[in-house]
């Protein structure tokens, strides 16, 4: 298992930018696919973005393309989610996740952080 700790969430205004971070420890980070997911109360957790172990390939949910950028720094065991032009509908708890499977297989993510709240006011 890999242990994951998210940070960087908060209360922001529509149009602002934010960078979420996820620090990993435990299972070899460099060989893990990493992802960001989000959840709104009363709804299923949904996939946002994933990245392969080397960082060379990414996969995004259609509605966030162009505003969300996932990246990773394997030297720092950290994965990031840069969000620009935030919208109120981006309000959610954002979770970092890890997988030993292919980065695009969103159902295979099996290690989760505790989440970080992002609230976007209009």
């Amino acid at each position: 298992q890999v242990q994951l700790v998210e940070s960087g969430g908060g209360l922001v205004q529509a149009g602002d930018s934010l960078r979420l971070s996820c620090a990993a420890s435990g299972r070899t980070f460099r060989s893990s696919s990493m992802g960001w997911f989000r959840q709104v109360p009363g709804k299923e957790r949904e996939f946002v973005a994933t990245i392969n172990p080397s960082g060379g390939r990414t996969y995004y949910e259609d509605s966030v393309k162009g505003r969300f950028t996932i990246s990773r720094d394997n030297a720092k065991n950290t994965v990031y989610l840069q969000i620009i032009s935030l919208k109120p509908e981006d309000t959610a708890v954002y979770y970092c996740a890890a997988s030993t499977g292919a980065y695009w297989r969103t159902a295979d993510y099996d290690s989760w952080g505790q989440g970080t709240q992002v609230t976007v006011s209009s």
Side-chain angles (χ1 to χ4, degrees):
Q1 286 286 67
V2 60
Q3 289 73 49
L4 304 169
V5 179
E6 302 96 334
S7 61
L11 174 62
V12 297
Q13 293 188 334
D16 285 351
S17 299
L18 203 61
R19 189 176 80 161
L20 307 182
S21 299
C22 173
S25 61
R27 186 178 75 201
T28 305
F29 175 79
R30 297 183 183 189
S31 63
S32 296
S33 297
M34 298 298 298
W36 286 96
F37 296 72
R38 64 185 179 184
Q39 188 171 24
V40 174
K43 293 189 175 181
E44 294 286 321
R45 185 158 50 192
E46 65 176 5
F47 144 73
V48 173
T50 61
I51 190 166
N52 74 334
S54 71
R57 294 186 180 273
T58 57
Y59 175 44
Y60 294 95
E61 196 276 327
D62 285 346
S63 69
V64 306
K65 287 179 180 177
R67 294 193 302 118
F68 287 38
T69 303
I70 188 171
S71 62
R72 65 191 294 163
D73 185 338
N74 286 345
K76 296 182 178 180
N77 281 12
T78 302
V79 62
Y80 304 99
L81 185 69
Q82 179 73 46
I83 311 172
I84 64 171
S85 302
L86 277 153
K87 304 176 181 180
E89 51 263 43
D90 294 322
T91 295
V93 177
Y94 284 73
Y95 295 91
C96 175
S99 169
T100 56
Y103 69 100
W104 46 268
R105 295 181 62 89
T106 58
D108 289 352
Y109 284 77
D110 59 359
S111 293
W112 298 88
Q114 83 289 347
T116 185
Q117 175 72 47
V118 173
T119 303
V120 185
S121 64
S122 57

